[in-house]
Every structure is written in structure tokens, then in C-alpha cells.
Amino acid sequence: MQRLLLALSLLLPASLALAQGVAIVDMEAVLANHPNTPNDRKTLESTLADYTKERDALRADLDRRMADLEKERAEAQNPMLAPAKAEELRQTVEAKLRTLQDDFRRADAQMQERTRTLQEMERRLINRTTDEIEAHIATYAKEKGLDLVLYKNAAAFVKPDLDITNAIITRCGGTPPKQDTAKDGAELAPPAKANLPTDKD
């Protein structure tokens, strides 16, 4: 029995040391509060606005050309035209239609390429910031003697004092979000009753 107690006493400090060597970090929160994020968001939004403007201009031009082509097609079907002239107009319309269809395909491919470019830009910006955050986490873990830092969304339950998210946000040059300290309505004390005058006063 004494040996068992001795073994437990030896294991207990080791388990405590292990628990003290573990921390968790909310990567999404760190990213959201990182100094890079506002400028990166503006860059992405500006690029998206440019691509949207380009897409709208292409669409307007193609729609205008399609409307003009419909008018030419209607003119080619005018029964008052001589057969030779009608055939000439019909062939012209068909040639323009093929060109327009090719331009529609090119415009679609161009916009798909813009989408890929925007996605790649977003990926690069996030990776750059993530690499910086992970470097700060590694430095912090080394300074504090941590053996393991887990992502918060990978843990089902974590004690609040193991969460180093705010410390990492500060290390990155960001400002941790303010904590909502307002109590639930049920926990608030009832309002004080006013001393109203009575008939006896």
C-alpha cells in the first residue's frame, strides 16, 4: 500500500507539470485582431471592387452588342429586301454572332481567372499572417516553458487559464477584444424601491 502511495506521489507532480505545459490558442481570434487583417481586408475588397467593375463593363458591352445583333438579324429578315441583300445580311449576322459567342467565352474565362487570382491573394495574405502568428506562439511557448499549444477548436473543453489567445494577440501587436462583463438579467439586483409619500406623511 505504501509503495502504491509512493508511486502516486511521484506521478502526481509529473502530471501537474504536463498540465502546466499545455496551452490553447484561438487562431481565428488572433487572425481577426492581428494588425495585418484590416489592411489585408481592404486590399481584398479593393481588388474585388476592381474585378466587379471590370465584369460589369464586359457584361454591358456584350449585352449592347447582342442587342445590336438582334436588330441586324431582324433587318435581314425584312421581306422587302432583295434575296441577295438578305442573304448578305444573314451571313454578316452569323459571322458577328460567332465572334460574339467567342467573346462571351473569353469574358467568362477571364472572370474565372480573376476569381482564382482573388482566392490566391487571400490565401497568401492569410498564410503570411498565420506564419507570423505561429512564430510568436513558438517564442511564447519557449519563454513560458510550454510543451504543447493546441488550437482552441480542437479541444472539447479547456480551462480558461490555459487560454493564451490574448497574450498572443498582444505579442502580434494587436489589441485583445474587450470582454463582455455584463451580467445576465437574472443575476442583477432588483431596482431599489422609491420611498413614496403616504397619507400619514
Side-chain angles (χ1 to χ4, degrees):
M1 183 68 176
Q2 290 180 346
R3 289 182 179 179
L4 180 59
L5 292 175
L6 178 61
L8 288 175
S9 67
L10 291 174
L11 287 173
L12 186 57
S15 63
L16 287 175
L18 179 60
Q20 291 172 353
V22 176
I24 60 102
V25 63
D26 186 339
M27 201 64 169
E28 291 183 4
V30 181
L31 273 170
N33 293 278
H34 194 283
N36 288 346
T37 300
N39 286 335
D40 290 350
R41 186 178 295 117
K42 288 180 182 178
T43 298
L44 291 169
E45 289 175 353
S46 176
T47 304
L48 176 60
D50 290 342
Y51 289 168
T52 300
K53 185 177 180 180
E54 180 184 12
R55 181 204 63 194
D56 292 346
L58 279 172
R59 180 179 296 169
D61 179 63
L62 292 170
D63 288 346
R64 177 189 57 77
R65 290 169 58 191
M66 177 61 77
D68 291 344
L69 193 57
E70 288 297 332
K71 291 179 182 178
E72 292 183 31
R73 175 181 290 174
E75 183 181 350
Q77 295 174 347
N78 186 344
M80 301 300 294
L81 287 176
K85 182 61 176 179
E87 178 62 19
E88 179 184 346
L89 289 177
R90 187 187 64 79
Q91 291 182 5
T92 299
V93 168
E94 288 182 355
K96 288 183 177 181
L97 179 59
R98 288 191 295 269
T99 299
L100 186 57
Q101 288 171 338
D102 289 340
D103 289 345
F104 265 108
R105 284 190 288 268
R106 276 192 289 268
D108 183 61
Q110 184 173 334
M111 289 301 100
Q112 288 182 17
E113 180 61 28
R114 295 291 185 267
T115 299
R116 287 190 292 269
T117 299
L118 190 64
Q119 291 172 342
E120 177 61 20
M121 181 186 298
E122 182 179 24
R123 186 190 65 80
R124 287 200 314 270
L125 292 173
I126 291 175
N127 285 349
R128 178 206 59 190
T129 303
T130 300
D131 289 345
E132 182 183 328
I133 293 170
E134 289 177 346
H136 282 296
I137 292 173
T139 301
Y140 182 91
K142 185 176 181 180
E143 292 175 0
K144 302 298 182 181
L146 299 175
D147 300 313
L148 182 65
V149 178
L150 300 171
Y151 290 137
K152 188 173 184 178
N153 60 3
F157 170 77
V158 178
K159 291 173 60 178
D161 56 354
L162 296 180
D163 192 328
I164 62 171
T165 300
N166 286 347
I168 299 303
I169 291 174
T170 302
R171 283 289 181 103
C172 292
T175 302
K178 293 181 180 180
Q179 300 297 321
D180 186 6
T181 57
K183 294 183 178 180
D184 184 76
E187 299 179 2
L188 297 177
K193 293 183 179 179
N195 293 323
L196 300 177
T198 63
D199 293 337
K200 295 179 181 181
D201 291 341

